[in-house]
């Protein structure tokens, strides 16, 4: 069955149709939601990015633990057949693992009873022009799963770089529907992992570096028809503000600001794309995500606060209406695109009150914790004491206190700005251990020089307006361009870091925490590492074929716990390596910062899987053997 759905429907008509259908579909939507929650609670499955709706990358599995992790050995591997950066992580549902690749965005279904057997593969044909408008390598962050019902099969939902969202029959790989989410002619691409809530497939967009106006869209998972779409900028109706928007925190701003905080019609090419991760609270029925940087990077060309870019956003999952929005970096001057991971937790605050929280380590060097029910700002701590663009964040107003010495402006070259445009945290999907109440965060330790320039907007062309030079932060080795990353354990209630360690390069991909008292992560120079999550002690590592820009995941199959991670260097830190660039300002400044990466790893594209003593299905030598019937 194949369907092609158009995105050209009027938003008002789609919203009216949605409103009429909300109550009719509530029962079946709840069932789909319950099934995903049930699956995510099982250690045999990894059904969505972040493992569960809390998006905490945490597993209660203990077979692999701090006492026996030294016995962890390589079990099996799988090549995607593609190079370039492999971000994200695979999904596991039952006996099947679903693996994605970088462009051209292949998808593979592997039989976990015989992982050398590809059950099906989907290799889409895409417009090669998509490659030329991709910002930072040809990456993709993963897949989504919908469990199906008595009328519609279970589906694997994927994004393609050329702007299409595609649903595949999870059992056969056959294309079920396909929708154009964005137009690559104006620079709209898709690199994000989609997100399934109820009977909706939710996805954002990429392309702020080309002046794309960011939006988030929900599609009917059965048909591919658009349910709702709202933007980060523009009139309130197009942003989708709820009637009680920011009612608990009116000082964050409320009505009319999607245009009033911009000069003229600049909001129409103002960025604010969201290409990072989502989280969802079923009780509140709210989805959470961060909107990205305004366009262009040159702040002189877009006076005003530029709302609602750079915003922690909460929307009703069914209607898309925006309940609250907290703008972290009004009038961004540094490309601190605020799309990073949001992790949900329930913790007791300093006053003894039990609260439902969201925690978000931002590109701007601040880790924020908010009350996820009303948007109250609880804390805002520096990811590292070397952050200098902000002195602090005023918890009463929510506004950062800037240090003008590290601002950017025309006819001025800013120097030693920390963090760099890459942020002290980027796209990595981190983890939270609810027993220890610790967040395990992979950090960039990179600073920069910044020189802006003026440029005109041309659709489909890069719209940045700044030249960047990047290098290690103050704690790194600036002479040898090493010491570009850190790994940290953070408590959002005490606002303290329990432990932290430097790394040779950025910890770009994220972390996995387990009840085995372990935190796993990959490194750009090609190691999978495990640390004692209590102490931070390094207790195990393994050299991989290529560097890691995705996050590890874990699953159990037939009584054996496995750890899996994508190996394939690239992404923004790897653009110099994968495209053989030499100019230190190329790759929006990344080439200079990571000029030594090529001395530690090379391109690849594979999935690497580990277990205690390397136990795997092929311990039975007859598995996968050919026998003529």
């Amino acid at each position: 069955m194949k369907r092609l759905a158009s995105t050209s429907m009027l938003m008002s008509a789609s919203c009216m149709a949605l409103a009429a259908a909300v109550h009719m579909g509530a029962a079946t939507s709840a069932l789909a939601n319950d099934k995903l929650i049930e699956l995510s609670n099982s250690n045999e499955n990894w059904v969505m990015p972040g493992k569960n709706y809390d998006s905490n990358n945490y597993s209660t599995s203990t077979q692999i633990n701090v006492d026996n992790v030294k016995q962890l050995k390589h079990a099996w591997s799988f090549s995607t057949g593609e190079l370039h950066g492999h971000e994200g992580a695979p999904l596991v549902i039952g006996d099947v693992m679903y693996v994605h690749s970088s462009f051209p965005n292949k998808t593979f279904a592997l039989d976990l009873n015989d992982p050398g057997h590809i059950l099906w593969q989907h290799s889409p044909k895409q417009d090669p022009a998509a490659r030329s408008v991709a910002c930072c390598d040809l990456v993709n962050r993963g897949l989504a799963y919908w469990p199906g019902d008595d009328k519609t099969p279970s589906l694997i939902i994927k994004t393609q770089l050329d702007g299409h969202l595609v649903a595949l029959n999870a059992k056969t790989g056959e294309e079920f529907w396909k929708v154009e989410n964005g137009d690559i002619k104006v620079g709209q691409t898709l690199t994000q992992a989609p997100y399934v809530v109820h009977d909706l497939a939710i996805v954002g967009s990429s392309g702020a570096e080309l002046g794309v106006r960011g939006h988030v869209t929900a599609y009917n998972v059965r048909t591919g028809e658009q349910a709702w779409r709202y933007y980060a900028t523009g009139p309130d109706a197009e942003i989708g503000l709820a009637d009680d928007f920011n009612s608990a925190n009116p000082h964050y701003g409320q009505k009319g600001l999607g245009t009033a905080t911009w000069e003229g019609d600049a909001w129409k090419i103002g960025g604010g794309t969201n290409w990072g991760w989502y989280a969802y609270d079923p009780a509140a029925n709210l989805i959470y995500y961060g909107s990205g940087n305004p366009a262009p990077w040159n702040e002189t060309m877009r006076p005003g606060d530029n709302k609602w870019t750079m915003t922690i956003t909460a929307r009703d999952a069914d209607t898309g209406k925006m309940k609250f929005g907290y703008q972290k970096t009004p009038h961004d001057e540094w490309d601190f695109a605020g799309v990073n991971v949001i992790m949900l937790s329930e913790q007791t605050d300093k006053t003894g009150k039990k609260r439902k929280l969201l925690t978000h380590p931002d590109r701007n060097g601040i880790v924020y914790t908010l009350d996820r029910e009303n948007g109250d700002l609880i804390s805002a701590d520096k990811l590292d004491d070397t952050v200098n663009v902000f002195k602090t964040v005023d918890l009463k107003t929510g506004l950062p206190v800037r240090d003008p010495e590290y601002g950017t402006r025309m006819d001025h070259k800013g120097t030693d700005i920390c963090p760099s445009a890459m942020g002290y945290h980027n796209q990595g999907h981190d983890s939270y251990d609810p027993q220890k109440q610790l967040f395990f965060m992979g950090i960039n330790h990179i600073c920069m020089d910044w020189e802006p320039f003026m440029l005109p907007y041309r659709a489909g062309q890069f719209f940045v307006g700044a030249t960047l030079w990047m290098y290690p932060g103050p704690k790194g080795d600036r002479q040898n361009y090493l010491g570009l990353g850190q790994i940290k354990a953070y408590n959002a209630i005490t606002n303290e870091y329990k432990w932290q360690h430097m790394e040779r390069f950025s910890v770009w991909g994220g972390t996995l925490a387990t009840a085995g008292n372990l935190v796993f992560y990959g490194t750009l120079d090609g190691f999978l590492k495990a640390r004692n999550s209590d102490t931070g002690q390094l207790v195990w590592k393994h050299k991989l074929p290529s560097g890691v820009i995705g996050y590890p995941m874990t699953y159990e199959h037939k009584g054996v716990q496995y750890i899996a991670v994508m190996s394939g260097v690239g992404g923004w830190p790897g653009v110099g390596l994968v495209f053989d660039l030499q100019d230190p300002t190329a790759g929006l400044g990344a080439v200079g910062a990571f000029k030594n990466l090529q001395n530690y790893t090379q391109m690849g594209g594979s999935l690497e899987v580990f277990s205690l003593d390397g136990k795997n299905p092929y311990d039975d030598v007859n598995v996968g053997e050919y026998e003529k019937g």
Side-chain angles (χ1 to χ4, degrees):
M1 178 180 182
K2 295 186 180 181
R3 298 174 183 158
L4 183 64
S6 170
T7 61
S8 62
M9 294 179 292
L10 293 174
M11 184 171 60
S12 58
S14 63
C15 288
M16 288 174 62
L18 172 67
V22 163
H23 297 295
M24 295 175 60
T28 54
S29 294
L31 288 174
N33 235 48
D34 291 346
K35 182 63 175 176
L36 275 178
I37 292 171
E38 178 188 341
L39 290 170
S40 70
N41 286 334
S42 164
N43 289 329
E44 283 74 35
N45 301 300
W46 192 282
V47 297
M48 64 181 76
K51 190 180 191 309
N52 49 47
Y53 281 136
D54 284 346
S55 207
N56 63 15
N57 269 4
Y58 175 76
S59 171
T60 59
S61 293
T62 58
Q63 185 178 112
I64 300 168
N65 57 64
V66 72
D67 295 321
N68 63 19
V69 69
K70 291 185 184 300
Q71 298 168 232
L72 202 60
K73 304 294 183 184
H74 194 259
W76 58 272
S77 63
F78 174 76
S79 171
T80 67
E82 299 298 331
L83 301 177
H84 291 276
H86 283 60
E87 292 182 341
L91 301 183
V92 169
I93 297 95
D95 288 337
V96 181
M97 175 182 279
Y98 300 94
V99 181
H100 65 285
S101 81
S102 57
F103 184 88
N105 308 127
K106 293 179 179 179
T107 306
F108 303 90
L110 306 182
D111 180 357
L112 289 178
N113 296 307
D114 178 7
H117 179 206
I118 302 171
L119 298 172
W120 56 257
Q121 54 187 293
H122 180 255
S123 302
K125 303 298 181 184
Q126 298 187 56
D127 186 338
R131 297 170 57 99
S132 65
V133 293
C135 159
C136 311
D137 196 16
L138 311 179
V139 299
N140 186 275
R141 295 181 186 87
L143 308 165
Y145 173 74
W146 184 70
D149 57 24
D150 57 352
K151 295 182 180 179
T152 306
S154 56
L155 300 173
I156 292 293
I157 303 170
K158 63 185 287 184
T159 55
Q160 295 181 180
L161 189 64
D162 65 0
H164 285 88
L165 184 71
V166 183
L168 307 175
N169 184 311
K171 292 185 178 180
T172 68
E174 183 182 11
E175 196 170 284
F176 194 70
W177 53 257
K178 179 179 181 181
V179 60
E180 185 182 64
N181 184 68
D183 183 1
I184 61 169
K185 293 184 179 63
V186 297
Q188 293 177 322
T189 54
L190 269 181
T191 58
Q192 184 181 43
Y195 202 66
V196 169
V197 173
H198 299 320
D199 295 334
L200 298 173
I202 299 168
V203 71
S205 60
S206 301
E209 279 62 54
L210 293 89
V212 165
R213 182 186 176 205
H215 53 69
V216 59
T217 311
Y219 296 93
N220 184 310
V221 77
R222 294 180 177 84
T223 65
E225 294 175 321
Q226 189 180 118
W228 51 260
R229 167 173 286 182
Y230 291 113
Y231 294 83
T233 66
D236 290 351
E238 296 181 21
I239 297 174
L241 301 186
D243 292 339
D244 62 347
F245 173 67
N246 273 350
S247 60
N249 294 282
H251 56 286
Y252 291 173
Q254 293 181 290
K255 305 294 184 178
L257 300 179
T259 54
T261 59
W262 295 83
E263 186 175 72
D265 289 340
W267 56 268
K268 294 181 178 179
I269 53 172
T273 53
N274 73 94
W275 42 266
W277 311 101
Y278 294 95
Y280 172 63
D281 182 343
N285 198 34
L286 293 175
I287 58 168
Y288 306 93
Y289 66 93
S291 60
N293 57 285
W297 290 12
N298 184 345
E299 58 87 27
T300 304
M301 297 175 64
R302 43 169 175 79
D305 280 353
N306 310 135
K307 286 182 167 47
W308 292 94
T309 66
M310 316 297 284
T311 297
I312 294 175
T313 303
R315 291 187 183 273
D316 183 277
D318 293 322
T319 67
K321 290 303 180 74
M322 190 168 168
K323 180 177 176 61
F324 68 78
Y326 166 62
Q327 189 181 41
K328 300 156 291 181
T329 311
H331 189 68
D332 171 51
E333 305 177 48
W334 308 275
D335 181 44
F336 289 155
V339 302
N340 293 357
V341 63
I342 289 175
M343 296 165 282
L344 308 186
S345 65
E346 293 190 27
Q347 300 188 62
T348 301
D349 68 16
K350 291 178 179 177
T351 70
K353 180 181 178 181
K354 190 81 169 180
R355 305 187 77 158
K356 294 184 175 182
L357 305 174
L358 68 80
T359 297
H360 166 84
D362 196 66
R363 284 255 286 266
N364 69 8
I366 306 294
V367 53
Y368 298 87
T369 295
L370 276 65
D371 184 308
R372 70 175 187 257
E373 294 183 303
N374 62 14
D376 286 351
L377 179 60
I378 307 299
S379 64
D381 300 315
K382 289 186 176 184
L383 284 167
D384 193 72
D385 56 13
T386 57
V387 172
N388 61 24
V389 292
F390 302 135
K391 297 177 180 180
T392 187
V393 175
D394 186 326
L395 295 182
K396 291 183 178 179
T397 65
L399 295 174
V401 180
R402 284 166 153 86
D403 187 333
E405 181 178 350
Y406 302 104
T408 66
R409 58 188 183 275
M410 284 299 299
D411 303 318
H412 167 75
K413 182 178 180 179
T415 59
D416 206 21
I417 298 168
C418 304
S420 76
M422 284 184 155
Y424 271 1
H425 192 286
N426 203 281
Q427 67 83 42
H429 199 308
D430 288 328
S431 58
Y432 170 72
D433 184 329
Q435 304 305 314
K436 293 177 171 40
Q437 296 188 329
L438 289 175
F439 293 89
F440 301 102
M441 301 186 297
I443 303 295
N444 304 325
H445 190 64
I446 308 171
C447 300
M448 68 177 174
D449 299 343
W450 174 294
E451 190 168 21
F453 59 86
M454 305 294 283
L455 79 169
Y457 169 76
R458 295 187 178 92
Q461 297 187 22
F462 277 84
F463 188 48
V464 173
T467 302
L468 282 65
W469 296 260
M470 296 187 191
Y471 39 82
K475 297 176 182 177
D477 180 352
R478 290 187 170 180
Q479 181 176 355
N480 295 302
Y481 280 74
L482 299 173
L484 292 150
Q486 299 171 311
I487 181 78
K488 299 191 177 194
Y490 168 73
N491 186 308
I493 304 302
T494 65
N495 312 113
E496 296 175 345
Y497 291 93
K498 186 171 185 181
W499 54 259
Q500 52 188 298
H501 294 280
M502 292 293 295
E503 288 284 349
R504 180 178 288 116
F505 298 109
S506 298
V507 183
W508 192 261
T511 66
L512 163 71
T514 77
N517 201 26
L518 293 167
V519 56
F520 291 89
Y521 62 99
T523 65
L524 283 171
D525 50 350
F527 285 93
L528 178 62
K529 296 184 178 182
R531 291 186 182 271
N532 182 315
S533 55
D534 274 328
T535 66
Q537 179 187 1
L538 185 65
V539 291
W540 177 87
K541 68 179 181 180
H542 181 91
K543 187 69 174 73
L544 302 170
S546 183
V548 177
I549 60 172
Y551 60 91
M553 56 83 73
T554 186
Y555 66 96
E556 295 179 12
H557 187 67
K558 292 188 174 180
V560 177
Q561 182 186 357
Y562 296 91
I563 305 291
V565 69
M566 304 295 292
S567 169
V569 76
W572 195 359
V575 292
L577 189 158
V578 301
F579 293 113
D580 193 23
L581 304 175
Q582 305 299 322
D583 180 351
T585 68
L588 304 172
V591 172
F594 292 94
K595 64 181 183 180
N596 282 328
L597 184 58
Q598 63 182 344
N599 298 326
Y600 291 88
T601 192
Q602 289 295 310
M603 296 174 71
S606 65
L607 175 77
E608 306 296 326
V609 184
F610 300 83
S611 63
L612 293 178
D613 298 320
K615 187 173 179 60
N616 67 80
Y618 300 114
D619 289 342
D620 178 350
V621 296
N622 293 312
V623 169
E625 286 299 297
Y626 171 73
E627 293 185 9
K628 188 174 181 179

